[in-house]
Amino acid sequence: MLTFFRIVKFAFATVWRNVWLSFATTLVMFLALFMVTVLILLNVLATGALEVVQDKVDLSVYFVSDATTEEVNVVRTQLQSRSDVNTITYISKEQALKDFEERHSDNPLIQSALDELENPLQPSLIVKANTPDQYSAISEFLTSEQFSGVIEDVNLDDNRQIVEKLTSTTGILSQLAVWVSLLFTIIAVLITFNTIRLAIYTQKDEISVMKLVGATRTLIRMPLVLAAAFYAVVAAALSTALLFPVVNYIGPRANAFLGEVTVDIESYFFDNFWLIFLAQFTFAVVLAVVSSSIAMRRYLKK
Amino acid sequence: MAEPKPKTTIKLKAKDTSPKAQKSSSGPTVRTGRKPRAIPKKGEPLIVAEYLSKAFGKDAFALDDVSLEIREGEFVSLVGRSGAGKSTLTNMIIGEERLTEGRLFVNGWNVSLLKRRHIPFFRRQIGVVFQDFKLLSRKTVFENVAFALVVRGAPHKQIMEDVPRMLALVGLAGKEERFPHELSGGEKQRVAIARAFVHRPKLLVADEPTGNLDALYAWEIIEVLLKINELGTTVLLATHDRDIVNRLHRRVITLDGGRLIRDQEVGEYVL
């Protein structure tokens, strides 16, 4: 216990008496951590945006005007049995008219035309697939011979092509983001490792003197490892603290940029706050402890 | 970590001076294990070197076939020109350098067989002073001296009592809170001596302790070493300072070209 307290005391003395080195090491670790975390958050933002965009694609199945509810239900049941279909929404003739009127409530011309006509709209099904690339197969299935008497038209959303392009582009971007994040993580690890190695290097003479006086490896190593862990804790705390204003700044602007597509990065951050902090904390502490242990090994062996 | 315990004890026969007999001799009463036995009586061998050699390459020897014995309570000067092998021998004695041939026993430890993990425990039983002081630059004077007790797991109370006493002995009372860079060369060496002696070792090895000091400071350091020797600690002083050796009138061992060429009970610097 006495040795433990002395180790802790020596660790804090190391931090305090090398204040500039401690500051520089903590700063580098903080920047490395912050960079990687921001990249991961941007990844979350991009993935969320992609999901929202993908969710906007659907397939509309328009039935002939005189199609009965039973005929619609047959198609519906067959669609439900398909594994690539996610959801099916039925819109009756009456519902379709109501929605149309609501959409054009500010257009008196359309309103007066509708008053004079009998309901010209058809019953329909809105089909959502699991992934955008499954729409073609569903469309082919619905346009087959067996439904020709019931289904008048199968209409993929006008945005489908744009969305498909976006999907493939975003897919590439997502993969790229993963690789970039990985690359930056490696850079962050190397920078942190070298910073700590440099910090230990400045102590190499002290290490050799301690050995000459008869200090055990534990008494030499542990204060320096603890000091490195302390830098890591402070760096993780600083990084998490700075994420608050960054997320507050990025969140609304990202949503404004994406228009209708809204991804709540702020909620994501606050919902996963402890996870983010703990992940940074663990990453930084493990890195610091491993780096300092490796860096010290050569001086302890001499 | 618990202090290592002794493993075996080797009893030696009466010393035979013939080289053959010396070759077969197993040295003084020593343990190849860890903890030294009960304190030996005054005058017992503290350092026994048998045919010590340190080779660099095939034919280059830093130390060549050196045998000597230093007893408890002695003050021995180890002299010789630069490159004579003084530092090699002192480094071997403190377990900092491995020997190529021969056997070396220090304070009951067989240094030739010393394992790396036992070195800290061995070092805690001797005191070492270097020419370049080797102080911990980021620790105060008090902390530097206290560190020698901390590594031994000494309690706080003992540290608070022994360190000021030791600093007073070397004439540094009142300078406890200074850092090494705030001290003169002589003061730094006094701190180093205080650190080497605070745990009252049986052996203090001083390798050129006056090498970086002017004559006045140098003799002050020697006086501190003499005071320590009077308290019962064996002092091995490696130096090439002729004046100091001649003023001491103590035992002088002379090395030249890695070989022991002279061993005088009350000697002078003759080279």
Side-chain angles (χ1 to χ4, degrees):
Chain A
M1 194 49 104
L2 185 67
T3 309
F4 174 75
F5 281 122
R6 280 174 179 166
I7 284 171
V8 173
K9 195 178 153 193
F10 286 165
F12 279 101
T14 304
V15 172
W16 178 243
R17 288 185 183 160
N18 302 283
V19 67
W20 278 108
L21 190 69
S22 303
F23 174 72
T25 311
T26 309
L27 188 69
V28 169
M29 285 182 83
F30 152 68
L31 288 174
L33 267 183
F34 183 71
M35 185 175 70
V36 172
T37 314
V38 165
L39 265 174
I40 290 169
L41 281 179
L42 287 178
N43 225 344
V44 169
L45 188 72
T47 312
L50 176 65
E51 277 170 13
V52 173
V53 168
Q54 283 176 351
D55 200 45
K56 289 203 168 290
V57 185
D58 55 30
L59 182 143
S60 305
V61 185
Y62 296 101
F63 292 86
V64 291
S65 294
D66 54 354
T68 61
T69 313
E70 287 74 30
E71 285 171 325
V72 173
N73 279 340
V74 168
V75 178
R76 191 177 183 174
T77 313
Q78 292 216 29
L79 276 173
Q80 272 170 340
S81 64
R82 287 180 66 95
S83 60
D84 50 5
V85 171
N86 189 357
T87 58
I88 303 166
T89 313
Y90 172 63
I91 298 171
S92 64
K93 271 179 76 135
E94 295 71 32
Q95 183 65 41
L97 181 65
K98 202 177 160 193
D99 291 347
F100 189 81
E101 281 176 340
E102 270 177 23
R103 260 203 313 276
H104 300 97
S105 57
D106 54 348
N107 190 331
L109 199 64
I110 291 177
Q111 291 295 336
S112 62
L114 284 173
D115 289 343
E116 287 176 24
L117 285 169
E118 201 188 327
N119 184 355
L121 300 173
Q122 303 132 297
S124 63
L125 289 176
I126 309 295
V127 181
K128 280 191 188 292
N130 292 318
T131 56
D133 55 352
Q134 292 167 336
Y135 283 108
S136 299
I138 300 169
S139 176
E140 272 175 37
F141 170 70
L142 291 169
T143 50
S144 64
E145 198 62 37
Q146 57 171 318
F147 303 121
S148 59
V150 190
I151 296 174
E152 191 178 286
D153 191 20
V154 176
N155 186 16
L156 261 176
D157 194 300
D158 292 342
N159 293 329
R160 193 188 73 144
Q161 280 190 332
I162 299 166
V163 170
E164 272 182 357
K165 205 167 180 179
L166 191 67
T167 304
S168 73
T169 314
T170 322
I172 294 165
L173 283 175
S174 288
Q175 274 195 334
L176 195 70
V178 169
W179 284 107
V180 169
S181 300
L182 198 69
L183 181 74
F184 272 82
T185 307
I186 292 168
I187 292 171
V189 167
L190 289 177
I191 290 173
T192 309
F193 176 72
N194 278 308
T195 308
I196 288 179
R197 215 169 66 132
L198 208 64
I200 300 284
Y201 176 80
T202 64
Q203 309 256 358
K204 72 177 173 33
D205 292 337
E206 306 259 320
I207 291 172
S208 71
V209 174
M210 287 176 183
K211 278 170 64 189
L212 282 173
V213 178
T216 55
R217 287 176 173 216
T218 308
L219 191 65
I220 299 171
R221 187 194 286 127
M222 286 315 289
L224 296 176
V225 170
L226 267 184
F230 177 77
Y231 303 145
V233 172
V234 175
L238 280 176
S239 171
T240 311
L242 192 66
L243 280 172
F244 276 96
V246 168
V247 164
N248 280 334
Y249 182 82
I250 288 180
R253 277 163 185 78
N255 287 342
F257 176 74
L258 292 167
E260 278 182 72
V261 180
T262 53
V263 180
D264 200 347
I265 191 94
E266 284 170 274
S267 299
Y268 177 84
F269 175 70
F270 289 112
D271 290 348
N272 297 285
F273 175 78
W274 287 110
L275 185 72
I276 291 169
F277 175 72
L278 278 176
Q280 289 192 87
F281 172 81
T282 312
F283 175 76
V285 170
V286 168
L287 187 60
V289 169
V290 170
S291 305
S292 52
S293 299
I294 292 173
M296 237 179 299
R297 214 164 47 175
R298 60 183 298 200
Y299 304 120
L300 284 172
K301 268 187 181 172
K302 271 183 183 172
Chain B
M1 190 174 171
E3 194 119 338
K5 289 183 177 145
K7 277 181 180 168
T8 55
T9 303
I10 306 166
K11 262 281 199 239
L12 294 188
K13 294 173 188 169
K15 197 173 181 184
D16 186 335
T17 49
S18 71
K20 194 179 172 185
Q22 282 191 5
K23 283 272 184 192
S24 62
S25 159
S26 27
T29 303
V30 290
R31 276 156 290 109
T32 54
R34 308 160 186 184
K35 200 173 181 179
R37 61 177 177 173
I39 299 167
K41 287 174 192 168
K42 191 164 182 174
E44 283 197 3
L46 196 64
I47 301 175
V48 176
E50 295 175 339
Y51 313 106
L52 278 191
S53 289
K54 176 75 182 178
F56 295 105
K58 255 187 172 180
D59 299 316
F61 286 90
L63 217 56
D64 189 5
D65 205 24
V66 170
S67 295
L68 56 85
E69 184 178 285
I70 295 172
R71 293 180 168 270
E72 283 192 333
E74 282 193 285
F75 189 115
V76 181
S77 300
L78 185 64
V79 304
R81 297 189 183 93
S82 294
K86 303 187 298 290
S87 292
T88 306
L89 182 57
T90 52
N91 280 338
M92 279 182 182
I93 289 169
I94 65 170
E96 184 69 355
E97 205 158 328
R98 290 272 168 194
L99 43 114
T100 317
E101 271 182 50
R103 295 200 306 170
L104 177 62
F105 303 96
V106 177
N107 194 24
W109 293 70
N110 187 342
V111 181
S112 8
L113 300 176
L114 204 58
K115 288 185 175 136
R116 191 192 291 272
R117 66 175 185 279
H118 294 149
I119 289 177
F121 302 100
F122 166 69
R123 295 245 172 93
R124 291 175 197 176
Q125 293 175 13
I126 55 176
V128 194
V129 179
F130 295 93
Q131 180 175 354
D132 57 353
F133 322 122
K134 294 205 187 299
L135 296 179
L136 297 161
S137 59
R138 293 179 179 95
K139 290 193 190 295
T140 62
V141 166
F142 186 95
E143 288 166 341
N144 262 282
V145 179
F147 192 73
L149 293 173
V150 167
V151 299
R152 287 160 183 83
H156 182 71
K157 190 168 176 276
Q158 186 194 340
I159 292 174
M160 296 312 286
E161 285 171 3
D162 287 1
V163 175
R165 198 180 298 149
M166 194 50 55
L167 287 173
L169 181 80
V170 298
L172 284 176
K175 296 191 175 172
E176 291 85 353
E177 295 310 313
R178 294 204 185 172
F179 283 90
H181 69 268
E182 298 170 320
L183 302 174
S184 69
E187 287 172 330
K188 282 179 192 169
Q189 199 56 288
R190 284 159 186 262
V191 177
I193 292 172
R195 187 182 63 190
F197 188 60
V198 70
H199 57 291
R200 299 296 179 109
K202 279 195 276 184
L203 172 67
L204 193 145
V205 179
D207 187 8
E208 302 277 7
T210 58
N212 282 348
L213 307 175
D214 59 36
L216 185 65
Y217 279 135
W219 187 250
E220 280 179 8
I221 293 300
I222 297 301
E223 280 184 331
V224 174
L225 293 178
L226 283 168
K227 207 187 290 181
I228 285 171
N229 180 239
E230 278 167 19
L231 292 168
T233 294
T234 305
V235 176
L236 176 62
L237 168 70
T239 182
H240 61 259
D241 191 318
R242 181 184 299 271
D243 293 340
I244 285 173
V245 175
N246 292 344
R247 267 177 87 177
L248 276 169
H249 299 296
R250 300 292 184 107
R251 183 178 167 192
V252 179
I253 295 172
T254 309
L255 293 176
D256 192 26
R259 299 185 72 91
L260 194 157
I261 58 163
R262 198 173 294 112
D263 187 349
Q264 305 156 285
E265 272 307 308
V266 180
E268 288 197 330
Y269 193 106
V270 184
L271 268 172

